[in-house]
Amino acid sequence: MRLSYRIGTAALLIVAIILIKRHLDLVQDDSRVQSGWSFNGVSGGEGGGPGLSEPVASDKNQNNNNGANTPAAKGGFSMVGDGKNGPSADHKNNEDDDGIALGSRPMYETTPIIVPNDRVIVMAKLAAEDTAWVSNDLADWRNFIYTVDDINAAKHTPKNKGRESLAYLQYIVDHYDDLPSTIVFMHSHRDGFPVAWHTDTMVYSNVDSIRALQTDFVQRNGYANLRCQPSPGCPDEIRPFRDPPQQGQTTEHVYADAWKQLFNNTDVPEVVAVACCSQFAVSRDQVLKRPLSDYQWFYEWVLTTPLNDDLARHVMEYTWHIIFGQDPVYCPDTYQCYEDVYGTPYL
C-alpha cells in the first residue's frame, strides 16, 4: 500500500514539474513576440516600445496648416498615396518621419481577394415542388429559384408562361449589372426517370451533372448545353421553311414568325438544331455581349406572345443557344461534348 502511495506521489510531482516548465517556456516566448500592428508605419516592436506606439504627426504636418486635418496630420493610417509620388509624399526616401529606416519594417505577403461562390443556379419551380436539394446537395453554388405559379412567393415570375423561360430571363434582367462568372439554368427535378430522362448521367441526376461541370469550358466557349446526347434536337429539329410542313411539328410551323418578332429581322435560319431541353450554362462575359434591352425584349415576348405556354417554351428551347452566341445548328460530337462539358468522354 505504502509503495503505491509513493508511486502516485512521484507521478504527481513529475506532472507538476512538466506543467510548470511549459508555463515558464510560454511566458518566455511571449516576451519575445513583437506586435504585428503598425501605426503611422511604425511597428510596435521596432523601437516604438511593446504594443501599439502612439500616433506621432511629422514636423511637416505640424507646420502645414493645409494638412492639419488630414489622417496623416492626426497620426492616422496612411492607406494609399496620391498615385504620383508613391504611397506617401510626406515620407523621406530612406527614413520615415521618426527616423526609422523603411527597410526595417516587416514585409507581408498578400493574397488576391476571391469572390466566394461566383456562380449561380437559376431555376423555375411550381409552388408544390420541393427544391431544397439544390441548397443541400449543391451548397457550393448560389441559387435563385423562382416560383412561377405563386406571386406571393419570395422570388416569383408575374405569371406562369413559357415554363422555365420567364424565370431564366427575369434573372438576367434583374441581375444584368451584377452577374456571377458562371450561370447554370436548369430544371427543378433532382434526378430519376422519367422526370429527368433528358439528364445525361447514369441515374439522370442534375446533382451529378453540376458537380462534374467544367466551368473553365463554359468560360472559354461562353455556352455549354448540359445535354450531350443529340436526340431529340439534333441534327435538324427545326426547318422553318420545310415544304410540305412536317406533321405534328407545331414549333417548326411558328418558328419563322417568332424569330422575326424576337430578333426584329427576317434572317431566319434554314435549319435550327440543338440537343434539348433548356438546361445549359453560360458565362457572364457571353451574357454581356448583348445589351440589357435585348433580354428585356425577349422577356416581354415570352410574357405577351399569343402562343400557348408549351409553344412559347419550345421556341425558346431552340433559341437559347443562338441568343448566347452559337450558330443556329449547335450539335457537337457526343463524346467531345462529354469531354468538354463534364471532363470525360464517358459520363
Side-chain angles (χ1 to χ4, degrees), residues 10-123:
L12 288 173
L13 286 173
I14 292 170
V15 171
I17 291 168
I18 292 172
L19 291 175
I20 292 170
K21 186 176 185 309
R22 286 186 178 179
H23 176 71
L24 292 174
D25 289 342
L26 288 173
V27 170
Q28 186 176 5
D29 288 342
D30 287 343
S31 68
R32 292 195 297 266
V33 174
Q34 297 177 351
S35 170
W37 292 97
S38 176
F39 206 76
N40 259 3
V42 181
S43 176
E46 291 287 338
L52 290 174
S53 63
E54 288 296 321
V56 179
S58 68
D59 292 338
K60 183 174 182 179
N61 283 332
Q62 290 173 343
N63 296 328
N64 184 354
N65 292 330
N66 292 331
N69 294 319
T70 64
K74 295 179 180 179
F77 290 100
S78 177
M79 300 296 289
V80 294
D82 60 6
K84 298 178 182 178
N85 300 316
S88 174
D90 289 339
H91 283 270
K92 301 174 186 178
N93 290 333
N94 298 319
E95 296 183 346
D96 68 6
D97 295 332
D98 295 309
I100 296 176
L102 294 175
S104 66
R105 294 175 180 165
M107 302 296 292
Y108 301 103
E109 291 185 2
T110 59
T111 55
I113 297 174
I114 299 173
V115 178
N117 294 334
D118 191 28
R119 50 192 187 173
V120 69
I121 292 169
V122 178
M123 185 178 290

Side-chain angles (χ1 to χ4, degrees), residues 227-244:
R227 180 171 173 84
C228 291
Q229 290 292 326
S231 180
C234 288
D236 60 348
E237 181 72 11
I238 305 290
R239 287 185 174 272
F241 306 108
R242 197 192 305 262
D243 190 18

